[in-house]
Amino acid sequence: MLRFLLNDTLVESDELSPDLTVLSYLRDYQGLCGTKEGCGSGDCGACTAVVVSLVNDKLCYRSINTCIAFVGSLHGCQLLTVEHLASPGKLHPAQQAMVDCHGSQCGFCTPGIVMSIFALTKNHTRPAAASGQRDVIDQALGGNLCRCTGYRPIVDAARMALDACCSSSYRDTFSAEAAATIAQLKSLQSDDSTAHGAFYRPRSIAAVCELRAQYPDASILAGGTDLALLVTQRHRKLKQIISLQHVEELNYCTERDAHWCIGAAYPLADFQQHFEAQCVDIGALLKRFGSTQVRNRGTVGGNIANASPIGDLPPLLIALRAQLVLQSSVEQRVIAIEDYFIDYRKTVLRADEILVEIRIPQSSLPAAADGPIVKIYKISKRLDDDISAALAVFQLTMKGAEVSSLSAAFGGMAAVPKRAVALEQVLTGKPLDEAVLALADAALEADFKPISDARASEWYRLQVCKNLLRRLAVEVNDSRTATRVIDYVG
Amino acid sequence: MSGDSRAQDSAVKHVTGAAVYVDDISRTSDQKYVAIGGSSIACGQIESIDLTDVLASEGVTDIVTVDDIPGHCDIGPVFPGDPLMTSGAVDFMGQAIFAVLADTADNARRAVLSANISYHEETPLLDIQTAIENKIYVRPPHRMQRGNAQDALPDAQHRLAGVMTVGGQEHFYLEGQVAIARCDEDGGVHVQSSNQNPTEAQKLVAEVLAIPMNAVVIETRRMGGGFGGKETHANASCCFAALFAVRNRCTVVCRLSRRDDMIMTGKRHNFQNRYEAGYKSTGEIEALCFELAGQCGSSPDLSDAIVDRAMFHSDNAYYLPNVQIDGLRCKSNTVSNTAFRGFGGPQGMIAMETVIDEIAFSLNLDPLDVRKRNFYGETSRDVTPYHQQITDFNVPAIVDQLEIDSDYRRRREAIIAFNKSSAILKKGIALTPVKFGISFTATHLNQGGALLHLYSDGTLHLNHGGTEMGQGLFIKVAQIVSAELGLAVERIKVSATRTDKVPNTSPTAASSGTDINGMAALRAARELKQRLLSHVTETFDCAESSVQLSAAGVVLNNKVVQTWSELAHSAYMARVPLSATGYYKTPEIYYDRDNARGKPFLYYANGAAVSEVIIDTLTGESKILRADILHDVGQSINPAIDIGQIEGGYIQGVGWLTNEELVWDAGGRLLTDGPATYKIPAISDVPEQFNVALLADSPNAADTVMRSKAVGEPPLMLAISVWSAIRQAVAAATDSVAFPQLNAPATPEEILRCLSALKSR
């Protein structure tokens, strides 16, 4: 039985097909057409709604793209849609600010933008005047495209809504009714059912492995931000889905044996929060990883397991020398992440295995005592919510002017995310000067034969990665020279 | 005096999700869904079509091919060339061959995938250069000239020549193409469509179905964005929905998936512009030749007028004593390109601004000084290449004010200093003007109509020929009517645009929406007001001069003597007709295309922008640091709405010139077929400092509605300042070794390519 709260109504169903998206459910089954379909691929945010879940007995509000979320993922949660935001006769501050600031023109992206601003007001408690505000707003709304306004009034509306919601005297209806919502969600959690139809919600790794053996063709669902594209873009049907969302033993981040051990179903949003304190560049990368909606659903394991050559985490994890734990019902094995990827979308993961844990050596992070330098360079056409044309990650230590150790990995440069072995060899033990960089260029050409596609040409990919070595050299040798337009404040 | 900054008519409905778009119209149990089957090759002949498996797919109830069209197959808006479906020649990848009807949209889209179609494939024509060389056009070339550029060029003190490519642009309206059709008891059809051009859709649906126009009603309440992409390319969805609705006597939705929308509907024309200029040491231009070649795709669509508008705007704000402009309409095996905000104007204007930049570069002058030296004059140097006299030219005043307000000169100095000390990051700044001609260049389209009904309770229903796509037309026209009648805006209901309310309308395009429909509504309001005033003077036996209509009602000698509901009721009882129509045709304009002379524009909308950018010379990444805009909207009817158009237009233009890149593969397949690969601006692309102002005290000298100026398209071209600033930064990074041949869009890759080319010199 699938049970969740749709706004303030309890929904219970065994009938809904496993691959039904939340958006389709809202529009086609519930007639709630306020939530719009702009792209059906999680790239525009018009379909944004907010999922409320219980975390440590508190309500946690997260925006999601409903077009790439399956309805089964709502089990035990509340889904808030744009229709439910206003109280009778009174708009929510997120709505009122959008009206007052002329934040809508054609209005089609507006419900999604309102929901993203609403989620921002629930997750951010400082008023808008605080410093760094634009950054917070950009992050909350980077996954919401608007083609009409040019965003200026939307930024203003987000500021106004934050100001209204953060005043000490203000509580919106959702905060006022939090106790009742918590009670309702708790009663939903007491439900011990583990499926609706062929949508399976196992609670343990053992149960996942069992289901995997039972349904070898079933799709493994983590966040679904990639899997759902099979349904919405390729028009495939997923007959059985095994969701990892309720496997608590896959959702954690903990210290063990000098490693950060991360459960495969650990959401990217949590990964971002945890690791931005460990490494500035990881924080910067995660800000540009998909959008808030994607990071709220997508998981660390999902970004690895789907084996895309352009996922942003694998090059990072390769350069950090992370390990993966793969488990079947009979055995567990630990491999270096760089050995996981075989070829385009091919991995060593066996049909009876799942990825359960990612282990990052703490010594590979700058936060460690005598920790290395970690530099991450993401190159894409757009700052927000864009897939990397190329991604370069360097973990290095310097001894004087010389590189004493280097681990380098690249995304977008080959059929798999890949370590730059020749490059590492050329640079290790050498200073980062022009003569060495000339050798490094040749090493990069030996390491990579990139392709031309919609994002960039072969020439650009190779050239920009060569140039990123120069950026690295400047940043390592001379920290005073500005090297990144993204961070530049004029 | 400016009007009120009222919210968009549906603002509250937008934020609550209550605004109904076509796909939100409540479902009926007999409703069915269309998916279109397109060709998988770009050029060739269809050899066989086997749809057996499609018909056998789950949920499919009907299939149509070209043989099932009762009437016309060609839905070309001006010239033939756009078959609704093809069974023979294939001219672009994704061209419609068949369509299916199924019980759900998913089932329809899945069914399409199982078609078996075989082709005799031919080599597609994909690049504009080949089309130019072989003179493969969808329409004949056109030339404008004044003076004698060919003779003047050799005599000029300095000469330069160049070529640049300008990319196209996907509209990416957030709401894709969609129509829903219901048949009526007479075999007619009612279509609700997201459509900028309901009358055109009405005509084409009637032609396709072989029924009279009076059997077809097209209704458009609102669009989730249009930008020109729903001027002609919304019609196919209407025709498919109507065709199936009438065949199956059920309700039919035709909504393209985002991917189909991007593949099957046209985009902004990409251009290849050649120029050759002769000029003095002061930077003054003596002679200029342009060849502007637009890639039109597979058919003429609106390309004749679009390339004409590129030509009309290749002078921008500058006087060209000897000028020759050739416009080419190149064919290619790609989807037929179409209207997009600016309608060719931006592609022409950017050529001119490039010439100015290159002249300034060659003479080592501030480009702003070269711009100023070439501006049209007040009393001389005031004739365009198409022989229209320039009047009321306020670009110099706008530029002077913006130069001061934005602190342009000091910032330019600061940037020069910054670039000397910054090894990797380089800055650029540019101030560029916009002069954009207002009126359809197809003269007959410059007409508008409106219909007012005053009901006996004193509320008003307002219809006009314009469509609402987010630009705020409905609230602006309501404000116009309100101001004329004295009736509060809250008492005026603007409802859907319908072909059975106001007939024979023009598309909501060419920035003309408020100018023509607002004026028509104003005239209807005047008519109605006159009848009401006559009634009042009879009722109260008073002179008309002592009566005013206000929001409170009838004011006689400064006293309210009747509320609006009392007035309307009493007028009704007195058998005063309370419905009025209004009609407007733009005066004065004409264009003799055979001789390329005339006055195609009633007036010009002007503005200017200063953009400051920073680029990374290692990666080609760029960012806008600050933008300052001063724009002339005449006397604003609604300043908030106008500023929204200016900001939105600028950022849309920034997208066109920076990150929005359309990529096809060698077989003619569009690779950027979704928002994962095609990147329109997002929120972080908006500069931290973004100052937008309306030019104060500038009522339109032309007799337009409330002396306002059109604002839809012109601001898009303010973004040329960004592209120009990027080039300044590239030049600074390469010690000005040569003029940077920067193409548009200036993606990180294009910027790096340009830097590399200069560095290897």
Side-chain angles (χ1 to χ4, degrees), chain A residues 316-360:
Chain A
L316 169 67
L317 295 171
I318 292 169
L320 298 183
R321 302 286 171 91
Q323 295 174 318
L324 302 181
V325 182
L326 312 179
Q327 190 170 321
S328 71
S329 48
V330 291
E331 65 166 346
Q332 189 182 76
R333 54 182 178 137
V334 181
I335 62 166
I337 183 171
E338 64 179 290
D339 297 331
Y340 179 75
F341 306 101
I342 305 171
D343 203 347
Y344 181 73
R345 295 246 178 202
K346 276 195 187 141
T347 72
V348 299
L349 191 73
R350 293 193 297 253
D352 62 342
E353 279 180 328
I354 59 167
L355 170 63
V356 294
E357 187 175 274
I358 298 92
R359 295 177 182 166
I360 301 175

Side-chain angles (χ1 to χ4, degrees), chain A residues 210-228:
Chain A
E210 235 171 78
L211 283 162
R212 193 122 211 238
Q214 198 176 344
Y215 305 107
D217 297 331
S219 306
I220 300 280
L221 169 69
T225 55
D226 197 50
L227 182 68

Side-chain angles (χ1 to χ4, degrees), chain A residues 200-209 211-212 220-223 242-254 256 261-268 270-271 297-302 304-305 324-328 332 349 353-358:
Chain A
Y200 302 101
R201 301 185 305 262
R203 302 280 181 88
S204 66
I205 293 172
V208 173
C209 292
L211 283 162
R212 193 122 211 238
I220 300 280
L221 169 69
I242 303 170
S243 166
L244 306 181
Q245 189 175 330
H246 297 267
V247 185
E248 273 180 36
E249 51 183 328
L250 285 176
N251 185 356
Y252 59 86
C253 178
T254 185
R256 195 194 314 132
C261 298
I262 301 156
Y266 193 56
L268 293 165
D270 295 343
F271 182 89
R297 294 283 326 154
T299 65
V300 175
I304 299 164
L324 302 181
V325 182
L326 312 179
Q327 190 170 321
S328 71
Q332 189 182 76
L349 191 73
E353 279 180 328
I354 59 167
L355 170 63
V356 294
E357 187 175 274
I358 298 92

Side-chain angles (χ1 to χ4, degrees), chain A residues 159-287:
Chain A
R159 287 202 172 107
M160 185 186 282
L162 278 174
D163 280 340
C165 291
C166 294
S167 81
S168 54
S169 58
Y170 184 78
R171 286 170 86 207
D172 71 5
T173 50
F174 303 96
S175 297
E177 291 163 10
T181 308
I182 290 170
Q184 279 177 299
L185 291 180
K186 276 191 173 162
S187 86
L188 286 183
Q189 285 188 343
S190 65
D191 179 359
D192 60 359
S193 79
T194 55
H196 81 267
F199 188 98
Y200 302 101
R201 301 185 305 262
R203 302 280 181 88
S204 66
I205 293 172
V208 173
C209 292
E210 235 171 78
L211 283 162
R212 193 122 211 238
Q214 198 176 344
Y215 305 107
D217 297 331
S219 306
I220 300 280
L221 169 69
T225 55
D226 197 50
L227 182 68
L229 302 183
L230 285 182
V231 177
T232 65
Q233 301 300 301
R234 305 261 190 97
H235 308 298
R236 298 248 193 94
K237 287 191 168 181
L238 306 181
K239 293 204 171 65
Q240 298 127 359
I241 290 177
I242 303 170
S243 166
L244 306 181
Q245 189 175 330
H246 297 267
V247 185
E248 273 180 36
E249 51 183 328
L250 285 176
N251 185 356
Y252 59 86
C253 178
T254 185
E255 287 180 77
R256 195 194 314 132
D257 302 335
H259 283 73
W260 287 111
C261 298
I262 301 156
Y266 193 56
L268 293 165
D270 295 343
F271 182 89
Q272 177 180 9
Q273 261 190 1
H274 185 90
F275 284 93
E276 63 193 357
Q278 302 288 321
C279 171
V280 178
D281 271 16
I282 294 183
L285 175 68
L286 265 290
K287 275 185 196 173

Side-chain angles (χ1 to χ4, degrees), chain B residues 9-127:
Chain B
D9 80 274
S10 299
V12 171
K13 288 183 277 187
H14 290 158
V15 300
T16 54
V20 176
Y21 297 79
V22 172
D23 195 45
D24 304 336
I25 294 166
S26 61
R27 320 294 211 241
T28 57
S29 56
D30 72 339
Q31 187 157 316
K32 291 192 163 54
Y33 299 83
V34 179
I36 299 165
S39 69
S40 60
I41 65 163
C43 182
Q45 293 288 325
I46 295 171
E47 286 180 336
S48 67
I49 303 174
D50 175 5
L51 303 177
T52 319
D53 294 344
V54 179
L55 193 55
S57 290
E58 182 184 348
V60 171
T61 55
D62 194 15
I63 293 186
V64 293
T65 62
V66 69
D67 299 333
D68 300 302
I69 298 173
H72 289 190
C73 176
D74 202 306
I75 59 166
V78 186
F79 306 102
D82 297 302
L84 184 61
M85 291 178 276
T86 179
S87 60
V90 170
D91 279 325
F92 66 94
M93 196 174 291
Q95 186 172 7
I97 295 171
F98 67 98
V100 304
L101 191 68
D103 57 346
T104 68
D106 267 355
N107 279 340
R109 289 171 187 175
R110 198 173 294 116
V112 160
L113 303 176
S114 48
N116 286 308
I117 298 169
S118 63
Y119 307 88
H120 172 73
E121 206 170 340
E122 292 157 29
T123 308
L125 170 61
L126 297 171
D127 73 301

